[in-house]
Amino acid sequence: GGGGCLLGGGPWGVGRVLPSEWLRVRGGGHRLRPQKAECRFSNATGREQVRYLFRHIYDRTEIARFDSARGRFEALTPLGEPDAEYWNSQKEELEYRRASVDRFCRHNYEIVGPFAHGRRVQPAVTISPTKDDPLSPRTLLLCTAASFYPREIEVRWLKNGRRATEGVFYGEELHNGDWTYQTQVMLEDTPQRGDVYACQVEHASLQTPITMQWEPRTSDSARSKVWTGVVGALLGMVYLAVGLSLYLRSKKGKGAIGGLGGQVQGKRSISSPLKDSASGMLGFSVVPSYGTGAPRGPPHS
């Protein structure tokens, strides 16, 4: 089989080739098994180092591998021991694998190495708030750093300017298949009014860290309730003022009428005896008198 080589960041660049390959197995013949080949490059010591790994997978578990640094197959699980022993006994197989470090790794490194080592892609950073339970005050803040290269990156959460350490969950750096990576870091917290959250990202492609801020906002329904309460309070104050004004006017009018009635009740009546000359009957005349003065005339005789 054949394939390309993909370089990664860090002290060891990783290139994956040959997702599957025919491999000679015990009992003769060939069998198609899930395989994964990697080319790893490093110049951390100032000297170029190239390493070829050929992994053998069974039921999603790596059971054996060939490592060019060792020059032979090695078993990683008891299930892989018989296969590793058999492959190590096959001289042709060992020579083929040992030559792969030059045929696959170094050959591809000369082609893509200069491009990969100088490549820098800045991450795109976003914050996504969500809630597991709509009735719960706790909020999940998800910071995503996407499409960056090389792989090494540092993502941290800040709360009111200080690094958050509780409720923080880190995801792995995932390969996108286009020479870039992505990762996510989640913060679970209960935001309060005035809290300011920030996701800060440091990467080799950045001269200064990227900082994205997020502040808790009042929902539309909550804002609607607040405005309803404000309008209701204003209308209540208006009705109260109008009612109080009408009450005071009514009270003032009743007070004026009551004062006039008091004056009428304060008038005094004085009866004077009268004598009818025709019948000889004796009667009385009533003469109103204001104040406390004497009667307005002497009684008739």
Side-chain angles (χ1 to χ4, degrees):
C5 181
L6 183 62
L7 301 180
W12 282 98
V14 179
R16 295 177 179 175
V17 296
L18 303 178
S20 62
E21 182 173 319
W22 288 104
L23 183 70
R24 189 186 303 275
V25 296
R26 290 176 291 119
H30 293 75
R31 183 186 306 168
L32 184 62
R33 282 188 178 177
Q35 314 292 336
K36 182 189 295 184
E38 294 182 2
C39 294
R40 298 195 172 190
F41 310 90
S42 174
N43 56 1
T45 61
R47 185 172 58 89
E48 178 188 296
Q49 300 178 27
V50 183
R51 186 179 176 188
Y52 170 77
L53 297 176
F54 190 63
R55 307 174 184 274
H56 304 271
I57 314 298
Y58 180 78
D59 195 20
R60 299 184 179 181
T61 301
E62 184 179 5
I63 62 173
R65 72 168 63 158
F66 175 87
D67 188 346
S68 63
R70 298 177 179 271
R72 56 185 287 111
F73 287 89
E74 56 184 350
L76 301 180
T77 67
L79 184 62
E81 291 179 357
D83 286 337
E85 182 179 355
Y86 172 77
W87 294 325
N88 285 329
S89 67
Q90 304 297 311
K91 183 178 179 180
E92 181 182 351
E93 183 67 31
L94 283 177
E95 290 179 353
Y96 178 82
R97 297 302 166 188
R98 289 168 182 169
S100 295
V101 68
D102 294 321
R103 183 175 62 253
F104 292 123
C105 298
R106 286 192 173 92
H107 172 74
N108 288 300
Y109 180 76
E110 293 176 358
I111 298 175
V112 301
F115 167 74
H117 280 300
R119 188 168 183 256
R120 298 287 187 271
V121 181
Q122 294 185 1
V125 182
T126 57
I127 295 178
S128 304
T130 184
K131 282 189 175 183
D132 285 340
D133 184 0
L135 301 179
S136 174
R138 298 189 68 81
T139 299
L140 301 179
L141 298 176
L142 189 64
C143 180
T144 302
S147 302
F148 58 88
Y149 187 90
R151 181 177 182 176
E152 286 69 29
I153 193 170
E154 184 175 356
V155 182
R156 65 176 70 94
W157 273 106
L158 304 177
K159 179 180 179 181
N160 299 326
R162 297 183 178 181
R163 182 166 185 171
T165 56
E166 298 183 358
V168 180
F169 305 91
Y170 295 89
E172 296 181 356
E173 293 84 4
L174 302 179
H175 193 276
N176 293 328
D178 60 351
W179 293 62
T180 63
Y181 296 86
Q182 64 173 317
T183 188
Q184 293 180 325
V185 179
M186 185 179 67
L187 172 64
E188 183 178 5
D189 198 20
T190 303
Q192 304 294 332
R193 181 180 294 273
D195 286 341
V196 178
Y197 296 85
C199 177
Q200 191 173 79
V201 178
E202 292 186 9
H203 188 254
S205 63
L206 304 172
Q207 295 183 353
T208 58
I210 294 178
T211 302
M212 296 286 293
Q213 288 191 349
W214 181 86
E215 298 182 29
R217 297 180 179 179
T218 306
S219 63
D220 293 339
S221 60
R223 284 196 293 267
S224 177
K225 293 179 181 178
V226 170
W227 280 110
T228 301
V230 171
V231 173
L234 292 176
L235 290 177
M237 294 177 64
V238 171
Y239 286 129
L240 177 62
V242 173
L244 182 60
S245 176
L246 293 176
Y247 172 74
L248 293 176
R249 289 183 181 181
S250 175
K251 186 175 182 181
K252 184 177 180 180
K254 289 182 179 179
I257 296 175
L260 180 61
Q263 293 179 2
V264 174
Q265 291 178 359
K267 296 177 182 179
R268 298 178 62 187
S269 298
I270 300 175
S271 59
S272 299
L274 295 175
K275 184 177 179 180
D276 190 354
S277 57
S279 60
M281 298 293 291
L282 181 68
F284 297 89
S285 65
V286 180
V287 180
S289 176
Y290 294 88
T292 56
R296 296 184 60 183
H300 295 280
S301 55

